[in-house]
Amino acid sequence: MFPLMISSIVLGLSIAAPVGPINIEIVKRGLLYGFWPAFLVGLGGMSSDLILMAAMFFGLSQVLGFIWVKITLMGLGCLILLYSGYANFFTSFERDQRDENDQRNLPHVGWRSYATGMTIAGTNPMNLLFWISIYGSVLSSSLQQDNHLYAFFTSSLVFVGIGLWNANLALTVHFGRTLMNAVAMRIICIIASCVLMGFGGYFGYQCILLVLKAL
């Protein structure tokens, strides 16, 4: 049992570590607002993943196989990431004027960060492909156990690994921002916004390819 628990946690770490929209958003929020908004982005993404994992117990993977569902998800992912990157790009230039208000209104920033993470994870086609493919095989092997509660517990340990990575990244950015000047932080935020828009453009391109394939 212990090796299975460790392998599930390591799988969660390997999922969360690659550069993607969630990690980019965590870095950006951490630079702008500090640890908690950055961590709440990751927590929002984990909430979306948890809902998706639970849905897979009821056969969601079959629904996600339909091409019109893929087109819808690609289109939503494109629009959300393009909007998020575009809005954050201009926020980077307004940071000096917004800092004081954002610190006083930190709960609102936190909830907004949580909602952003949940939305990005829920509409990210790369994230959904993972849950269908890699996690689907982990889940199927876990469900071979007679006790489905045990299977759910072991497969849920993936989220421990994801949470450890998100906390580590948020802490690293939070303390690293104290070593940067305002110009460096602004440049990094602008780059992060451009990367988000790049992911959005890629999803839009894939959406067009799927539409052409369906016609």
Side-chain angles (χ1 to χ4, degrees):
M1 179 179 177
F2 185 72
L4 180 60
M5 293 172 61
I6 295 299
S7 64
S8 296
I9 294 174
V10 171
L11 177 61
L13 286 168
S14 66
I15 297 162
V19 176
I22 287 290
N23 281 345
I24 295 297
E25 188 67 24
I26 289 175
V27 170
K28 185 185 66 61
R29 295 272 172 168
L31 289 175
L32 289 175
Y33 307 118
F35 171 76
W36 283 110
F39 181 69
L40 285 171
V41 170
L43 194 61
M46 290 172 63
S47 300
S48 184
D49 290 342
L50 183 61
I51 294 172
L52 186 56
M53 185 196 77
M56 285 191 66
F57 272 82
F58 302 97
L60 179 66
S61 58
Q62 297 178 358
V63 176
L64 293 176
F66 297 130
I67 190 166
W68 63 269
V69 176
K70 294 180 181 178
I71 291 173
T72 302
L73 291 173
M74 287 287 184
L76 283 173
C78 170
L79 293 175
I80 289 171
L81 290 176
L82 284 177
Y83 173 78
S84 180
Y86 175 81
N88 292 330
F89 182 87
F90 290 101
T91 300
S92 305
F93 292 99
E94 301 169 2
R95 181 176 179 273
D96 295 335
Q97 290 78 15
R98 292 168 54 95
D99 267 352
E100 186 177 347
N101 291 333
D102 284 332
Q103 290 302 320
R104 287 200 301 261
N105 201 20
L106 197 57
H108 175 69
V109 173
W111 281 112
R112 192 172 58 196
S113 299
Y114 177 84
T116 299
M118 193 170 186
T119 304
I120 290 176
T123 58
N124 181 359
M126 292 189 300
N127 189 45
L128 295 171
L129 285 174
F130 158 76
W131 289 102
I132 296 171
S133 56
I134 301 174
Y135 186 73
S137 62
V138 174
L139 185 59
S140 62
S141 62
S142 298
L143 287 174
Q144 291 177 3
Q145 305 288 335
D146 293 333
N147 189 341
H148 280 205
L149 183 61
Y150 168 78
F152 187 83
F153 168 72
T154 54
S155 59
S156 296
L157 288 174
V158 172
F159 289 93
V160 175
I162 297 175
L164 288 173
W165 173 262
N166 290 341
N168 172 69
L169 183 59
L171 279 171
T172 301
V173 175
H174 174 75
F175 289 110
R177 71 199 289 257
T178 62
L179 305 176
M180 300 182 189
N181 58 35
V183 175
M185 292 173 62
R186 183 172 298 160
I187 290 173
I188 292 175
C189 289
I190 291 172
I191 293 173
S193 299
C194 291
V195 172
L196 283 178
M197 288 188 284
F199 276 112
Y202 173 76
F203 292 154
Y205 173 72
Q206 293 298 319
C207 180
I208 293 173
L209 291 182
L210 285 174
V211 170
L212 294 176
K213 182 179 178 180
L215 295 178

